[in-house]
Amino acid sequence: MTREIFKKHIQTLEKEVTEMGEMVVTAINRSIEALKVLDSEAAEKIIADDVKINKKRWDIEEKCINLIATQQPVASDLREIIAVLSIATDLERMGDHAEGIGKIVILHGKEPLIKPLVDIPQMADICVDMLKRSIDAFLKRDAAAATAICAEDDKVDLLHEQVYRVLLSYMIENPRVITYATYLIWAAHNLERIADRVTNICERIVFLTTGSMHEINVSRY
Amino acid sequence: MVNFMVSLSNPMEIETTIETKNLNLYYGDFRALNDVNIKIPGRNVTAIIGPSGCGKSTLLRCFNRMNDLTENAKVQGKIIIEGNNILELETDLIFLRKKVGMVFQRPNVFDLSIYNNLKFGLRIHRMLSDKDHIMQAIQSGLEQVNLWQELKDKLRKNARSLTLEQQQRLCIARVIILKPDIILLDEPCSALDPIATLRIEELLRILRQQYTLVIVTHNMQQAARVSDYTGFMYLGQLIEFGETNQIFTNPGEKLTENYISGYFG
């Protein structure tokens, strides 16, 4: 068997993507927990930790570039490196969305939530589940699982619409809550984008596995 | 009777292709080519890749019947070039090798002047006319391989005094001057340094506009860089043939993938 060193580099990349995925899952979970109780201290931590996610993305990109430059990968090796580059970018943006929720917590301040959060945590749960499963599908090269995950995006979209409708009715009823209702709409929007980013990852898994590059689930947003 | 000369009389009007049908080649009892069926598109670069001994050079040499020169070589099947099976006994081999030229691994210039190297082929194929026409042909050949400016004042110099890259360009010019339709290249850059290799590759990309080029190479990056189509051979069989972009990003056969990815070979 040749190219053992190259294979080890690829395994390192997969490990790094898994770690980055875990960092993003933690960031999303923490951001929602912080939003539920308006914990600005926790929010500050999420914002600070996003730097680590960003750095992880650059580290992965650098490794990918070095592998392309020095190993001249082709076929599925090349597709894997391209997929990893793309996945790292999407994970980094998901980290930014979690950071965005953290910033909303800080903007919201100590003013009580205008309503208990129901749909937003549910959106977050689905996003986290989609993300974990997508990383698993990446490691297993499972195109069928990746395609199935994309269908979950519709659930997040529906919840997003629901959050928007409900908060709109709150704003119509009481214009004084517009600022805080808008914060929550932004938070929901961040989660909706996270789910879209997971579908991007799934598309890359299908590309990696089959060589076919196409959109699986067209977002309504 | 094969009407080879008529079919090739106006190459610019004909889309040149090479097609093999159930091509087998034996060296004694050894089967070097095993039922090879390939269609090589005209006016493109086609690369044949595969590990040592897979039959890629043997296949290439079939296209102008160079294997006829090998003792014990026996060919079965068909090789159709522009409608004619060149394996027919009646094929005019001199004419075939004029129309299907070949460039080898090491530049094989003759121990003659640059001028006489180029004139040699014209003489063999009785394409000599007056001095002016010979000079025009030589200038055109050297221009096509980007040597004219460098060599126009040194045509009486011995060709062996040139650099290896210049010698290989000269060999390509020597083929071109005979107005071939197809140029076969057997590892044409293996004796050259990386920069000279890249310059020859650039030349091949230009020549493909006028000629059908078939290149055998063990350098997979070269095949990826220079060719439009790639065929992968293994143990005498053509495992896969397709567009180079597809072969190098998403090959259909696991064996191809493992070879081009460097996992064996």
Side-chain angles (χ1 to χ4, degrees):
Chain A
M1 193 68 168
T2 55
R3 309 210 80 183
E4 289 298 334
I5 293 169
F6 178 69
K7 273 287 163 201
K8 276 186 187 152
H9 283 304
I10 292 280
Q11 283 162 4
T12 304
L13 273 184
E14 288 171 356
K15 189 166 157 278
E16 298 232 16
V17 167
T18 309
E19 285 169 7
M20 191 175 176
E22 285 163 1
M23 289 164 82
V24 174
V25 163
T26 303
I28 297 168
N29 282 333
R30 281 185 182 161
S31 71
I32 295 305
E33 289 309 313
L35 184 65
K36 278 185 199 166
V37 295
L38 297 172
D39 182 345
S40 56
E41 208 173 298
E44 295 282 5
K45 174 103 173 70
I46 294 158
I47 293 163
D49 283 353
D50 188 53
V51 175
K52 294 178 192 165
I53 294 175
N54 295 346
K55 185 180 178 308
K56 192 80 171 170
R57 179 246 179 121
W58 298 125
D59 288 348
I60 290 173
E61 273 203 22
E62 193 179 351
K63 284 191 174 82
C64 289
I65 290 165
N66 285 341
L67 279 178
I68 291 170
T70 59
Q71 300 289 325
Q72 292 91 41
V74 294
S76 62
D77 290 338
L78 176 63
R79 297 203 304 273
E80 170 146 14
I81 293 172
I82 298 299
V84 166
L85 273 172
S86 176
I87 290 170
T89 305
D90 280 318
L91 287 172
E92 190 270 326
R93 291 296 294 138
M94 284 187 222
D96 289 346
H97 289 305
E99 184 194 19
I101 295 171
K103 285 177 178 169
I104 287 165
V105 172
I106 291 166
L107 282 171
H108 201 290
K110 292 294 172 197
E111 190 70 24
L113 291 164
I114 60 170
K115 69 179 279 298
L117 300 183
V118 180
D119 294 329
I120 288 177
Q122 204 184 331
M123 286 175 78
D125 286 345
I126 298 171
C127 286
V128 165
D129 180 58
M130 287 172 73
L131 176 53
K132 284 180 176 171
R133 283 162 56 202
S134 71
I135 298 297
D136 193 47
F138 165 68
L139 296 174
K140 290 178 179 161
R141 308 281 184 278
D142 190 340
T147 306
I149 292 163
C150 289
E152 307 279 313
D153 183 44
D154 288 344
K155 292 182 189 170
V156 178
D157 287 348
L158 284 172
L159 284 166
H160 182 219
E161 278 178 25
Q162 195 166 302
V163 167
Y164 184 76
R165 273 199 311 272
V166 169
L167 290 171
L168 206 59
S169 67
Y170 270 72
M171 289 189 273
I172 290 165
E173 205 174 297
N174 181 7
R176 280 179 298 178
V177 302
I178 284 176
T179 301
Y180 298 99
T182 308
Y183 291 155
L184 294 181
I185 287 173
W186 286 353
H189 177 69
N190 276 307
L191 292 168
E192 190 273 327
R193 295 301 301 140
I194 286 173
D196 283 347
R197 294 274 172 185
V198 178
T199 66
N200 289 352
I201 291 177
C202 291
E203 284 161 5
R204 287 297 163 182
I205 295 164
V206 172
F207 164 69
L208 159 62
T209 315
T210 67
S212 166
M213 211 183 282
H214 63 270
E215 204 158 7
I216 299 173
N217 197 13
V218 181
S219 170
R220 282 180 281 175
Y221 294 89
Chain B
M1 177 70 185
V2 176
N3 196 5
F4 198 59
M5 294 185 73
V6 172
S7 70
L8 289 172
S9 59
N10 195 349
M12 291 310 287
E13 285 179 12
I14 300 166
E15 182 68 9
T16 309
T17 56
I18 305 171
E19 183 177 4
T20 68
K21 290 184 178 173
N22 301 322
L23 184 66
N24 287 282
L25 186 139
Y26 297 85
Y27 293 123
D29 294 332
F30 176 69
R31 194 178 191 178
L33 295 180
N34 189 345
D35 272 334
V36 174
N37 290 287
I38 191 170
K39 283 184 181 177
I40 293 178
R43 304 283 186 270
N44 274 292
V45 182
T46 294
I48 309 290
I49 59 170
S52 297
C54 71
K56 52 190 189 296
S57 290
T58 299
L59 178 65
L60 193 77
R61 287 200 301 268
C62 284
F63 297 151
N64 66 351
R65 288 191 44 183
M66 288 290 280
N67 287 314
D68 287 13
L69 306 172
T70 308
E71 211 179 327
N72 289 334
K74 190 177 76 183
V75 189
Q76 292 170 348
K78 287 182 177 174
I79 302 172
I80 296 163
I81 296 181
E82 293 170 14
N84 299 297
N85 180 9
I86 63 159
L87 296 181
E88 297 283 349
L89 284 175
E90 299 88 343
T91 301
D92 178 345
L93 289 185
I94 303 274
F95 185 73
L96 173 69
R97 287 170 192 157
K98 172 175 171 290
K99 285 298 179 185
V100 185
M102 194 156 196
V103 177
F104 298 89
Q105 283 188 18
R106 290 195 67 81
N108 57 344
V109 295
F110 307 130
D111 191 11
L112 299 168
S113 68
I114 294 161
Y115 180 89
N116 281 329
N117 260 274
L118 292 164
K119 193 177 150 192
F120 193 86
L122 297 173
R123 187 162 60 81
I124 292 286
H125 294 284
R126 295 178 187 158
M127 293 168 75
L128 286 176
S129 52
D130 59 84
K131 237 180 175 178
D132 285 348
H133 281 106
I134 293 168
M135 202 54 222
Q136 272 175 16
I138 287 173
Q139 180 174 345
S140 165
L142 289 176
E143 277 174 347
Q144 286 189 68
V145 298
N146 295 325
L147 273 183
W148 176 247
Q149 286 304 325
E150 287 171 57
L151 301 186
K152 64 181 178 184
D153 300 323
K154 303 173 189 168
L155 294 178
R156 296 293 168 191
K157 257 181 89 174
N158 191 299
R160 289 194 174 164
S161 66
L162 300 174
T163 66
L164 278 177
E165 182 196 348
Q166 286 173 324
Q167 288 185 35
Q168 195 63 306
R169 283 177 186 269
L170 184 64
C171 290
I172 296 172
R174 208 169 54 191
V175 170
I176 284 172
I177 212 168
L178 302 178
K179 297 186 172 31
D181 296 324
I182 299 163
I183 302 175
L184 309 175
L185 304 115
D186 192 357
E187 305 269 15
C189 301
S190 61
L192 305 181
D193 65 59
I195 301 298
T197 296
L198 289 175
R199 283 199 291 253
I200 293 286
E201 287 176 8
E202 276 178 20
L203 174 63
L204 299 184
R205 294 304 296 170
I206 294 165
L207 293 177
R208 71 187 269 283
Q209 293 161 19
Q210 282 179 270
Y211 310 97
T212 298
L213 304 175
V214 187
I215 179 171
V216 158
T217 177
H218 63 248
N219 180 337
M220 282 173 288
Q221 278 70 45
Q222 179 171 70
R225 282 193 299 265
V226 83
S227 70
D228 305 289
Y229 295 87
T230 297
F232 167 61
M233 292 190 68
Y234 185 65
L235 298 177
Q237 289 182 306
L238 181 70
I239 303 298
E240 189 168 357
F241 183 81
E243 285 184 25
T244 297
N245 284 344
Q246 178 250 315
I247 294 284
F248 280 90
T249 56
N250 193 17
E253 300 293 330
K254 193 68 193 162
L255 202 56
T256 312
E257 166 133 13
N258 284 341
Y259 178 71
I260 62 172
S261 302
Y263 295 120
F264 79 93

